[in-house]
Amino acid sequence: MTVAFPEPGPSSDVPALFLTYLDFYRETIADRIAGLTDAQARTTQVPSGWTPIELVKHLTFMERRWLVWGFLGEQVPDPWGDRPDGRWHVGPDETVADVVDALRAGGGRTRDIVASTTLDTPAALGGRFTDAASRPTLAAILFHVLQEYARHAGHLDIVRELIDGRTGE
């Protein structure tokens, strides 16, 4: 599913803007990996060694680390499970569909958090953050997550072009 770029408009609803752009980038990521064979999704195209499927799994874990473990302070199993040995990792039994489904499910959880919380709310203590003085607000976390999605969408655009010539925006 290709999602049109959300052109800036007159809205001052900042939570809605965050969610609109996060949804756009999440679907852009899903679109860039769609149609790749399993071998293409698991083959690196860059010297740093990551693969398209690993990047998608990384984004799922990144969003969960910042919003569920970080902002909500919930304990999550293996918050760094996308990189057990210091680099991104996807098991041989995980499919592209699995990692894209997990990415979208994480986006649903983010939507729930934003719908029920003001942007100036600081992150909870006890998860990722243990020092009250350095807890980021929900707005700061969403800004960070948004820039990470945008940056990695660009990376995936380049990798997809290297794989089969398909270009992104």
Side-chain angles (χ1 to χ4, degrees):
M1 165 170 98
T2 303
V3 176
F5 183 77
E7 291 294 337
S11 176
S12 61
D13 183 348
V14 177
L17 289 170
F18 272 125
L19 292 173
T20 297
Y21 278 87
L22 284 169
D23 287 346
F24 167 75
Y25 282 114
R26 212 176 285 108
E27 288 306 313
T28 296
I29 295 293
D31 178 67
R32 294 308 181 269
I33 198 168
L36 294 180
T37 66
D38 188 64
Q40 289 171 323
R42 292 176 185 277
T43 301
T44 186
Q45 299 292 319
V46 292
S48 56
W50 60 267
T51 68
I53 194 172
E54 290 171 341
L55 183 140
V56 177
K57 184 173 179 180
H58 163 68
L59 287 169
T60 301
F61 273 76
M62 174 278 301
E63 191 166 359
R64 185 177 74 161
R65 275 193 294 272
W66 280 104
L67 288 147
V68 178
W69 184 48
F71 182 73
L72 294 177
E74 291 181 11
Q75 296 305 307
V76 298
D78 201 4
W80 302 98
D82 57 328
R83 53 183 189 194
D85 58 0
R87 58 164 277 125
W88 296 341
H89 172 77
V90 172
D93 58 327
E94 296 175 276
T95 67
V96 169
D98 293 338
V99 297
V100 170
D101 287 348
L103 183 78
R104 289 178 173 140
R109 186 77 192 272
T110 295
R111 283 191 151 281
D112 293 343
I113 293 166
V114 173
S116 64
T117 312
T118 60
L119 294 178
D120 61 349
T121 304
L125 291 173
R128 185 176 187 151
F129 305 106
T130 57
D131 176 18
S134 64
R135 293 179 297 166
T137 62
L138 179 58
I141 289 171
L142 290 171
F143 189 83
H144 175 81
V145 170
L146 178 62
Q147 71 77 30
E148 188 145 349
Y149 265 109
R151 182 166 38 97
H152 287 315
H155 294 146
L156 197 51
D157 279 345
I158 292 167
V159 165
R160 183 64 190 249
E161 186 174 358
L162 291 170
I163 292 170
D164 63 7
R166 181 171 173 220
T167 60
E169 183 180 20

